[in-house]
Structure formats: structure tokens, C-alpha cells
């Protein structure tokens, strides 16, 4: 079951500038401590014809649409044709892909956002990786630190997988849909093509092509 959480099982790496980083690891959460350094190295290699360097370690595509009244801290890269809407708070260590939406009152911190991802309304995404075309409904958030501040583990098929990380939000595979006002607790991993009902509280591993209805009730998506 643990093998289903591998990067190769969850993500199409042709849809992110972080492919070089992700290929170095087996599981997606292993990249979390390296995101900031990777962005700084990548940013210095970006074409000045395609990207503007607008602040300390902040690179924004010339085709991105950056609305007023937001805050973007480095290290950060905003990809082509991405929208950053009013009230967005990007706290740094954020690699945001192409054709994405970072919405009003959405906060990002230490994340890899693949292409065509939408976090459009009142979302918090921290210490997380969001796969190609994944979408978080309004008010859905990642909770990235346990209340007792101990290291995060992932519940997977009756096994506790050690991450050795204190901060770990959610790993969403490609084409994952998260319902409105869902809380993804520390150590949430959701496989490709799965859907989560609104108002859910999620923890642990949700297999690919599943519908998460509530804890202990996960249905397979019928093709």
C-alpha cells in the first residue's frame, strides 16, 4: 500500500517546474525541506524575457495576472498565465505553476503547486504538494502541524509511515477534487483522481480513484 504514495504513482512530472527536484525522491513529502533552496536556484536560471524579478527571490511570469492588494514573499515563482487575486498571502517557498488560480484570502507557504491547480477561495495550503489539475473547494485547508507538536505519521493500510517531519500538510495527486470546507489533517495523502466530500475531515492515505465520504467510508469510483 505504501508504494501507492510514490511520486511516480501520484504525479505527471511534465506539468511542473519542480520535476528535477521531485525525481530525486521516492515520496512527495521528502521534498518539503528542499523547496526554498530549489526555487532560488531555479529562479536564477529563468529567462528575463519571460519572467520579471520583482523582489528578493520573487520571479513572476510576464503573462501572469497579479491583482492588487496581495503579498508575495520570496523565494517564490509564479508561472505563466496564473492569476493571483486580491487578498492572497504568499509567505514564501512557493512554486506556483502555469494556468493556476491563487484566490482571494488564500495563503500559501512551502508548497509546490503543479500546473492548472485552483486554490481559489479562502484556502490555506502549507507544507504541501498539489498535483496537476487538483482543486480545493472554498474554505478547504491543510492543517500542517499536530496539536501535540510531535512528528507527523501517515496512516496507510493499517501501517504508520514515519515522515520525520514536524510540518506536513497534504499531498494531493493529479486531478484530485477537495470539497468545500474540508480539513486535511497533518499527514494526508490523496491519490490521483480521487474526490473528497464537502465538510470532510481527512487523515492518512486515500487511494487513487476513490470517493472519500467520511472516515472509514471510502468508495471506489466506477469507470
Amino acid at each position: 500500500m505504501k508504494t501507492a504514495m510514490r511520486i511516480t504513482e501520484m504525479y505527471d512530472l511534465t506539468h511542473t517546474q519542480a520535476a528535477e527536484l521531485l525525481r530525486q525522491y521516492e515520496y512527495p513529502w521528502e521534498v518539503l525541506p528542499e523547496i526554498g533552496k530549489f526555487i532560488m536556484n531555479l529562479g536564477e536560471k529563468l529567462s528575463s524575457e519571460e519572467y520579471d524579478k520583482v523582489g528578493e527571490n520573487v520571479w513572476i511570469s510576464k503573462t501572469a495576472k497579479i491583482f492588487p492588494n496581495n503579498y508575495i514573499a520570496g523565494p517564490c515563482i509564479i508561472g505563466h498565465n496564473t492569476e493571483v487575486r486580491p487578498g492572497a498571502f504568499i509567505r514564501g517557498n512557493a512554486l506556483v505553476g502555469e494556468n493556476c488560480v491563487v484566490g482571494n484570502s488564500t495563503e500559501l507557504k512551502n508548497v509546490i503547486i503543479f500546473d492548472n491547480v485552483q486554490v481559489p477561495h479562502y484556502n490555506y495550503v502549507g507544507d504541501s504538494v498539489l498535483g496537476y489539475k487538483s482543486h480545493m473547494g472554498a474554505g478547504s485547508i491543510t492543517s500542517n502541524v499536530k496539536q501535540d507538536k510531535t512528528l507527523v505519521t501517515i496512516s496507510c493500510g493499517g501501517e504508520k509511515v514515519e515522515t520525520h517531519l514536524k510540518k506536513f500538510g497534504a499531498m494531493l495527486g493529479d486531478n484530485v477534487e477537495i470539497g468545500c470546507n474540508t480539513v486535511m489533517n497533518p499527514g494526508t495523502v490523496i491519490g490521483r483522481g480521487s474526490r473528497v466530500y464537502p465538510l470532510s475531515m481527512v487523515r492518512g492515505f486515500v487511494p487513487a480513484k476513490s470517493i472519500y465520504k467520511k472516515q472509514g467510508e471510502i468508495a471506489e469510483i466506477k469507470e
Side-chain angles (χ1 to χ4, degrees), residues 15-88:
H15 293 293
T16 177
Q17 289 181 300
E20 179 183 347
L21 175 63
L22 288 157
R23 288 191 185 104
Q24 298 175 42
Y25 296 93
E26 186 172 9
Y27 297 101
W29 56 88
E30 295 173 331
V31 309
L32 294 178
E34 307 298 328
I35 293 173
K37 182 169 64 176
F38 179 80
I39 291 171
M40 286 190 287
N41 291 335
L42 177 60
E44 296 297 342
K45 301 173 186 176
L46 294 174
S47 167
S48 60
E49 295 181 359
E50 296 184 18
Y51 287 84
D52 292 321
K53 189 174 184 181
V54 300
E56 186 175 0
N57 299 316
V58 176
W59 294 268
I60 298 178
S61 167
K62 294 178 185 294
T63 62
K65 186 171 184 179
I66 309 299
F67 287 79
N69 302 319
N70 52 54
Y71 179 86
I72 302 174
C76 178
I77 295 173
I78 307 293
H80 302 316
N81 303 308
T82 283
E83 287 189 7
V84 180
R85 294 175 177 170

Side-chain angles (χ1 to χ4, degrees), residues 76-104:
C76 178
I77 295 173
I78 307 293
H80 302 316
N81 303 308
T82 283
E83 287 189 7
V84 180
R85 294 175 177 170
F89 180 26
I90 301 178
R91 290 168 50 192
N93 290 358
L95 176 53
V96 183
E98 301 179 4
N99 305 303
C100 294
V101 175
V102 180
N104 59 299

Side-chain angles (χ1 to χ4, degrees), residues 23-216:
R23 288 191 185 104
Q24 298 175 42
Y25 296 93
E26 186 172 9
Y27 297 101
W29 56 88
E30 295 173 331
V31 309
L32 294 178
E34 307 298 328
I35 293 173
K37 182 169 64 176
F38 179 80
I39 291 171
M40 286 190 287
N41 291 335
L42 177 60
E44 296 297 342
K45 301 173 186 176
L46 294 174
S47 167
S48 60
E49 295 181 359
E50 296 184 18
Y51 287 84
D52 292 321
K53 189 174 184 181
V54 300
E56 186 175 0
N57 299 316
V58 176
W59 294 268
I60 298 178
S61 167
K62 294 178 185 294
T63 62
K65 186 171 184 179
I66 309 299
F67 287 79
N69 302 319
N70 52 54
Y71 179 86
I72 302 174
C76 178
I77 295 173
I78 307 293
H80 302 316
N81 303 308
T82 283
E83 287 189 7
V84 180
R85 294 175 177 170
F89 180 26
I90 301 178
R91 290 168 50 192
N93 290 358
L95 176 53
V96 183
E98 301 179 4
N99 305 303
C100 294
V101 175
V102 180
N104 59 299
S105 302
T106 289
E107 181 177 347
L108 304 181
K109 191 272 291 187
N110 201 46
V111 294
I112 293 173
I113 308 290
F114 277 55
D115 299 339
N116 296 79
V117 170
Q118 294 191 350
V119 282
H121 311 288
Y122 308 103
N123 306 112
Y124 173 67
V125 188
D127 300 285
S128 299
V129 178
L130 275 54
Y132 176 61
K133 284 189 175 179
S134 59
H135 170 257
M136 290 176 58
S140 60
I141 64 168
T142 65
S143 174
N144 60 336
V145 179
K146 294 173 65 176
Q147 288 185 337
D148 61 7
K149 308 302 189 290
T150 57
L151 298 180
V152 174
T153 60
I154 305 166
S155 178
C156 178
E159 176 187 2
K160 292 288 186 183
V161 177
E162 301 287 344
T163 69
H164 309 291
L165 296 170
K166 184 178 178 180
K167 294 186 177 182
F168 177 136
M171 306 290 125
L172 305 187
D174 296 340
N175 295 288
V176 165
E177 284 282 342
I178 303 298
C180 295
N181 290 318
T182 287
V183 176
M184 289 170 282
N185 285 293
T188 295
V189 180
I190 301 178
R192 274 181 173 166
S194 287
R195 302 198 295 267
V196 174
Y197 273 14
L199 299 172
S200 294
M201 185 178 69
V202 188
R203 185 187 301 278
F205 177 58
V206 177
K209 297 183 179 179
S210 298
I211 299 175
Y212 182 98
K213 299 180 179 181
K214 60 183 180 181
Q215 193 73 38

